[in-house]
Amino acid sequence: MAVITHAHTRPETDYYALPATLQDAFDELMEQADQAGTTDHFLTLMARAASLTGIRLPASGDIRRCACSCICGCIFDAEDPDAHVIEWTDGYNLGRLQCPTCHDRHSETA
Ligand SMILES: [Zn+2]
Ligand SMILES: [Zn+2]
């Protein structure tokens, strides 16, 4: 079955379109990245997560699953200028980010 990709050029993919085993593996890598002690380790985990999900690794080397409260499975470039920071977390690597689409879609109510 063909995978339908979005027509835009952003490196994005849908978490919920992934098989459950890949979702688990992705979560696992994100958890490890959250606690990675070095930038090298962090970027290695991000690169693995990207190749796992089939997303094109962005120049930032940093991808994130949307942390929006709506049911959004968007995995996107964490340094996309249109992404929206919900919360920076203390002591961990991964802040909570909203994907550009959600930021667009919900900004009137935010
Ligand atoms: Zn989103
Ligand atoms: Zn949303």
Side-chain angles (χ1 to χ4, degrees), residues 45-68:
L45 291 165
M46 284 293 163
R48 278 171 57 191
S51 75
L52 193 79
T53 54
I55 195 176
R56 178 168 55 82
L57 190 69
S60 63
D62 192 0
I63 58 171
R64 201 65 43 84
R65 185 181 153 200
C66 182
C68 186

Side-chain angles (χ1 to χ4, degrees), residues 14-50:
D14 183 0
Y15 177 84
Y16 296 110
L18 300 171
T21 49
L22 284 188
Q23 291 182 3
D24 287 351
F26 178 82
D27 288 343
E28 176 73 18
L29 285 169
M30 284 293 135
E31 230 164 84
Q32 288 177 35
D34 201 18
Q35 296 165 43
T38 65
T39 305
D40 270 4
H41 187 203
F42 180 81
L43 292 175
T44 302
L45 291 165
M46 284 293 163
R48 278 171 57 191

Side-chain angles (χ1 to χ4, degrees), residues 66 68-72 98 102 105-106:
C66 182
C68 186
S69 51
C70 78
I71 307 165
C72 175
Q98 210 177 23
C102 276
R105 203 178 283 162
H106 311 309

